[in-house]
């Protein structure tokens, strides 16, 4: 019987990440886990020779096929497969490999071949040497997709997700970027992505900007004039958002299970808390883009390349999120 769109497996493009780091090792270990190849159709941006060499180094085997087959990965190649890259080192060559593969993954999405993308860790230094001039990968993805809507990096640890109203900008510019519309956009984005991960009615907390949530205007009026109106606008749209809460206590409540997600006002307001709560389990989702893109939240870990001790947990969590979000994306695309 032919599968309907709602019944069909999600299709995920998987890149090897930065070839100088632990990305290739994590990739083959994901693919060597049998259940992963039954959760989705996986299109890997490598060729047979490169995959076999990396798998042999790690001591695993990866089943492959020329076309989507249950329990087997499909190799779609990379223009730079097999190109020599110095291990454990930031380099232009490593950054070029990452960018070429990510551009091909975007092409696979545009052609309707895949529903989501996952990449194992990359290195921003190598990407900048290779010509990525945007603030971060999210802006680079948006540029290459021609997407001008609301975006935000979302960070997942088991049981909690965060988004932020502002991200990679100087701290002195944060307050000027906070208004009711930007707060509402961040809330709506987090609500949508958390629903896509499987939580039907997310409970969302919104952080304040100032100490003690502004102390009724004594320490700043952003909470009164901008953040609270954004929260009320979200509630009027049926979103279960509350706040603004003092940011020095809201994560205690989140850790205790009171919330499924937290919207922060700037980068470190959420990142410090998230990394203390679950650095070795974190996942980053490039939120708001038309294609779901997930990656483990840690870096390339040059110091442990080749030692066989890299933690697969964050990559597994990223893969599972890519599968869940890809499934919804496939259904929505019809």
């Amino acid at each position: 019987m032919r599968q309907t769109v709602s019944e069909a497996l999600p299709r995920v493009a998987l890149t090897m990440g930065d070839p100088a780091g632990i990305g290739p090792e994590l990739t083959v270990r994901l693919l060597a886990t049998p259940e992963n190849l039954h959760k989705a159709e996986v299109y890997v941006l490598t060729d047979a020779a490169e995959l076999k060499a990396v798998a042999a180094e790690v001591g695993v085997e990866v089943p492959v096929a020329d076309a989507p087959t249950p329990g087997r990965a499909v190799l779609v190649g990379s223009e730079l497969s097999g190109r020599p890259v110095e291990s454990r080192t930031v380099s232009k060559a490593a950054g070029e490999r990452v960018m070429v593969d990510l551009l091909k993954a975007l092409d696979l999405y545009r052609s309707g071949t895949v529903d989501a993308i996952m990449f194992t860790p990359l290195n921003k230094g190598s990407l900048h040497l290779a010509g990525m001039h945007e603030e971060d990968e999210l802006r680079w993805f948006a540029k290459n997709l021609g997407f001008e809507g609301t975006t935000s990096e979302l960070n997942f640890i088991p049981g909690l997700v965060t988004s932020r109203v502002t991200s990679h900008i100087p701290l002195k510019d944060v307050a000027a970027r906070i208004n009711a519309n930007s707060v509402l956009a961040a809330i709506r984005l987090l609500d949508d992505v958390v629903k896509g991960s499987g939580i039907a009615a997310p409970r969302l907390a919104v952080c304040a900007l100032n100490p003690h949530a502004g102390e009724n205007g004594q320490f700043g009026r952003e909470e009164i004039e901008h953040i609270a109106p954004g929260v009320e606008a979200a509630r009027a749209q049926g979103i279960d958002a509350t706040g603004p809460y003092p940011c020095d206590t809201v994560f205690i409540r989140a850790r205790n299970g009171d919330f499924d997600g937290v919207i922060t006002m700037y980068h470190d307001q959420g990142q410090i808390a998230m990394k203390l709560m679950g650095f070795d389990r974190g996942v980053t989702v490039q939120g708001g883009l038309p294609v779901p893109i997930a990656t483990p939240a840690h870096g390339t870990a040059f110091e442990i390349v080749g030692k066989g001790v890299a933690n697969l947990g964050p990559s597994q969590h990223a893969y599972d999120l890519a599968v869940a979000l890809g499934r919804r994306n496939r259904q929505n695309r019809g």
Side-chain angles (χ1 to χ4, degrees):
M1 179 181 295
R2 184 177 180 180
Q3 288 181 311
T4 66
V5 170
S6 62
E7 295 170 337
L9 290 175
R11 302 161 300 177
V12 177
L14 176 61
T15 82
M16 302 276 275
D18 189 309
I22 58 173
E25 170 190 337
L26 294 171
T27 302
V28 297
R29 288 171 60 195
L30 278 175
L31 295 170
T33 304
E35 54 266 32
N36 284 337
L37 295 179
H38 289 279
K39 294 176 182 177
E41 295 176 8
V42 186
Y43 295 78
V44 192
L45 280 79
T46 186
D47 60 24
E50 181 177 59
L51 183 74
K52 184 176 181 180
V54 175
E57 290 177 5
V58 177
V60 298
E61 293 185 2
V62 177
V64 298
D66 294 330
T69 305
R72 295 182 178 273
V74 178
L75 306 185
V76 294
S78 166
E79 293 177 17
L80 299 180
S81 285
R83 179 184 180 186
V85 173
E86 185 176 355
S87 184
R88 307 182 186 89
T89 302
V90 173
S91 69
K92 179 181 178 181
E96 288 174 341
R97 171 63 188 273
V98 171
M99 290 174 69
V100 163
D101 287 354
L102 290 177
L103 285 171
K104 184 168 184 176
L106 292 178
D107 286 341
L108 290 171
Y109 165 74
R110 280 186 284 249
S111 69
T113 303
V114 302
D115 310 299
I117 296 168
M118 179 194 160
F119 59 92
T120 50
L122 47 75
N123 185 285
K124 286 183 173 62
S126 294
L127 290 173
H128 291 154
L129 289 175
M132 182 183 284
H133 301 301
E134 288 72 25
E135 297 171 357
D136 51 35
E137 311 92 88
L138 178 56
R139 274 71 179 179
W140 183 85
F141 283 124
K143 176 184 175 182
N144 283 284
L145 287 166
F147 182 74
E148 298 180 354
T150 300
T151 60
S152 174
E153 282 191 354
L154 308 180
N155 294 101
F156 286 70
I157 58 173
L160 183 65
V161 190
T162 64
S163 71
R164 43 193 184 253
V165 176
T166 69
S167 190
H168 296 115
I169 64 171
L171 193 57
K172 65 181 179 62
D173 297 336
V174 167
R177 301 282 188 93
I178 294 172
N179 55 63
N181 288 334
S182 63
V183 171
L184 173 61
I187 295 171
R188 292 179 61 180
L189 177 58
L190 185 60
D191 182 68
D192 182 63
V193 174
V194 175
K195 285 177 177 174
S197 72
I199 297 175
R203 300 160 300 159
L204 306 181
V206 180
C207 284
L209 174 66
N210 297 298
H212 301 183
E215 199 72 75
N216 296 318
Q218 293 185 54
F219 303 149
R221 295 191 58 81
E222 285 82 5
E223 287 74 19
I224 296 169
E225 296 177 359
H226 304 302
I227 302 174
V231 173
E232 289 306 311
R235 293 185 63 81
Q237 295 179 14
I239 298 173
D240 184 4
T242 54
Y245 297 109
C247 68
D248 58 353
T249 56
V250 68
F251 280 95
I252 297 172
R253 294 184 60 188
R255 181 190 61 191
N256 292 338
D258 289 354
F259 306 112
D260 304 301
V262 177
I263 295 92
T264 63
M265 295 298 114
Y266 59 91
H267 184 278
D268 286 3
Q269 191 179 51
Q271 290 297 89
I272 292 171
M274 289 287 283
K275 290 183 178 181
L276 283 171
M277 292 168 66
F279 180 73
D280 61 344
R281 299 172 293 163
V283 173
T284 298
V285 171
Q286 313 293 322
L289 298 173
V291 54
I293 303 176
T295 185
H298 60 75
T300 45
F302 289 155
E303 69 279 4
I304 60 171
V305 171
K307 296 183 179 180
V309 297
N311 181 2
L312 187 62
S315 292
Q316 183 65 61
H317 190 196
Y319 177 79
D320 289 339
L321 272 173
V323 169
L325 295 172
R327 178 179 296 108
R328 187 179 68 158
N329 198 33
R330 184 167 192 179
Q331 293 170 354
N332 290 343
R333 293 172 82 186

